[in-house]
Amino acid sequence: MVSLPTESTFETYQGLEAFIAHEEELLRLASKRDELLVIGGNGDYFMESMGESYGAYEFTRRKKEIRVRYIGSKDQVAQLQKNEANRFLFEARVLPGVFTGLVNTNIWPGVVNLNMFGTPVTSFVLKSPDVATSYRSFFEALWSMAK
């Protein structure tokens, strides 16, 4: 017998203001010591997109002790090393090859974001504990292969 996933909702956020507000909301809703898992794209446009809000975002992340694990590609090595040195609770690994898209996959407990860093920035958000758990398992498989 196949069981259906728990109730899910799907939302779209388009434009910088909506993107920033949604990222801040996810962080506000996160519990202390939660973990954010990121499968990066071709470059990390998160900091650039957050703009002046980035400092406050990082302050809150630090205060809540939110750990970030980031899987990037070989063209991101220098930036990821810098992030590991300068960002609190930030750990990165690299998969071989170069990712060609501008899409990052962010996995929070119960939420999966597909962030497209184009014009305009667009986030597709799936709120589903079952889907988030599945994506978390996929992330862990990639993490074990990354270096």
Side-chain angles (χ1 to χ4, degrees):
M1 176 180 224
V2 176
S3 62
L4 296 174
T6 56
E7 187 174 326
S8 305
T9 60
F10 180 80
E11 300 169 342
T12 303
Y13 296 88
Q14 194 167 39
L16 275 176
E17 288 181 20
F19 170 78
I20 291 168
H22 178 66
E23 290 296 323
E24 289 171 341
E25 178 72 1
L26 285 172
L27 186 60
R28 187 186 67 74
L29 294 173
S31 298
K32 188 170 180 88
R33 295 188 184 95
D34 267 350
E35 182 174 50
L36 169 60
L37 308 176
V38 181
I39 303 170
N42 183 17
D44 183 0
Y45 296 98
F46 176 78
M47 289 184 273
E48 179 182 324
S49 297
M50 290 297 288
E52 293 178 4
S53 300
Y54 177 73
Y57 179 93
E58 278 296 291
F59 176 82
T60 302
R61 188 178 72 81
R62 176 183 287 269
K63 183 176 166 186
K64 293 182 103 173
E65 300 176 36
I66 305 292
R67 179 179 178 207
V68 176
R69 285 195 292 153
Y70 188 106
I71 296 173
S73 64
K74 70 179 185 179
D75 65 330
Q76 295 178 282
V77 169
Q79 181 62 47
L80 293 175
Q81 288 172 340
K82 181 179 173 185
N83 287 348
E84 283 185 312
N86 297 318
R87 290 181 70 189
F88 180 72
L89 292 176
F90 184 96
E91 183 180 1
R93 292 190 182 174
V94 174
L95 285 172
V98 176
F99 305 166
T100 58
L102 291 175
V103 179
N104 283 8
T105 303
N106 293 1
I107 306 155
W108 286 95
V111 179
V112 176
N113 273 5
L114 300 176
N115 293 324
M116 296 175 40
F117 293 105
T119 304
V121 174
T122 304
S123 292
F124 299 104
V125 181
L126 182 56
K127 295 179 180 179
S128 166
D130 291 340
V131 172
T133 298
S134 178
Y135 265 87
R136 181 171 291 276
S137 295
F138 177 64
F139 178 92
E140 295 298 350
L142 292 176
W143 185 260
S144 69
M145 292 185 284
K147 296 180 184 190

